[in-house]
Amino acid sequence: MHQEKYDLIVIGSGPGGEKAAAQAAYFGKRVAIIEKETVLGGAATNTGTLPSKTLRETSLILSGFRQRNLKGLQVKIEGNIRVQDLLLRERFVKESERRRISDNLKRHHVDLYVGAASFRDEHHIAIKPKKSKEISLEGEIILIATGSHPNRPTLYPFHDPRVYDSDTILLLTEIPKSMLVVGGGVIGCEYACMFATLGVDVAVVESRPRLLGFLDAEMSDILAERMQSHGIRLLMPEKVAAVAASRDTLSITMESDEKLTKQTVLVCSGRTGNSQGLGLKNIGIQPNSRGHIEVSPQYQTSVQNVYAVGDVIGFPALASTSMEQGRVAMVHAFDLKYKKELATILPYGIYTIPECSAVGENEESLQSQGVPYVVGRA
């Protein structure tokens, strides 16, 4: 059987995979990219970064939020905001980004294969399209850029259509009257702010004493105050003990024995690397308990010709960082004499309402290291 040979095979078409493929192709390498879904872009385009930010922006406009504090201007939204209105722009943005990725791959002459990829050995990848026969590719370098998926703790009845994760929340058919958001991390806080803006009665439960624990404590505290001023109830530190579903509502019991009744629950309990089903045991790679693959500073795995970037290697799991990781990995893999390392200081943009942004160390970290610093406030 004839087998196509490539300098680089990329598994996954999200930000890290796309930019790595383009980087290698730009320097004359023959590149293939494998995507198991029928659409390009991974979670960043289809269920995560772009959709959530677009929904946030749309909710701010539809709710008249930005005009509420303008003196002398009264904004009234006629009728109820419909899910169709909320999702129309989101779908347009997703489709535009999918087209951009497709055009970029074509422009760099990257071959696209659709199907589930798995390692036969360190140089051979099997591709199994849905309801079709398996084919095989050979690659000098293999890059794993398969992303991640929402973690689903067994405590929550995900068989109930009113219990969502950060992927399925985009399949809402109507805007709920009330919602419990489980998790005070980036995704949980962003969605809590968005739905509160739309008039939903929102509560957030977080097991730690602060939201967004990696932020400067002062910023975290101010964000918590602003969220509460928008009507969001914060339960911290607190954990969910049980969820019971009835015909009309979801009854939630906290570990403190407090009981809540909500129409919907959105579970934001972190993400798990998409490393299952890749046949990694065939090449001796063992992901950790959250599906993350260990890599060197150049994104090389324990197998010399196999690299990994993006959410599948864990923190920080940001689209912009994943892109740079992909580029750096390819420079190392092919000795391209170009971009040798990732910037040591990376920015974080958190699209809560109001937004939070940070770069570099926070105040608590500097205090623990005994590093002198200056604070300015404006």
Side-chain angles (χ1 to χ4, degrees), residues 294-300 307 325 328-329 332 340-342:
E294 189 175 335
V295 293
S296 73
Q298 290 75 38
Y299 308 101
Q300 196 171 23
Y307 290 72
Q325 289 172 348
V328 170
H332 184 265
K340 294 291 185 184
E341 60 186 8
L342 210 62

Side-chain angles (χ1 to χ4, degrees), residues 51-119:
S52 64
K53 292 357 169 221
T54 307
L55 284 177
R56 174 191 184 276
E57 204 61 19
T58 309
S59 66
L60 287 172
I61 293 167
L62 289 177
S63 66
F65 183 88
R66 286 213 172 95
Q67 290 77 35
R68 288 178 197 174
N69 297 323
L70 292 179
K71 191 173 181 182
L73 179 63
Q74 203 73 25
V75 175
K76 185 177 182 210
I77 303 300
E78 292 295 333
N80 294 324
I81 298 171
R82 302 177 307 158
V83 165
Q84 295 95 308
D85 302 326
L86 195 62
L87 294 181
L88 186 66
R89 174 70 181 168
E90 182 256 355
R91 285 168 187 154
F92 171 78
V93 169
K94 281 200 300 196
E95 287 164 10
S96 298
E97 179 64 3
R98 290 167 186 164
R99 282 196 300 272
R100 185 203 63 74
I101 296 167
S102 177
D103 291 344
N104 191 33
L105 297 180
K106 287 174 184 172
R107 188 166 60 250
H108 286 90
H109 307 291
V110 175
D111 292 344
L112 175 63
Y113 294 84
V114 179
S118 60
F119 283 87

Side-chain angles (χ1 to χ4, degrees), residues 38 228 342:
T38 55
Q228 288 171 315
L342 210 62

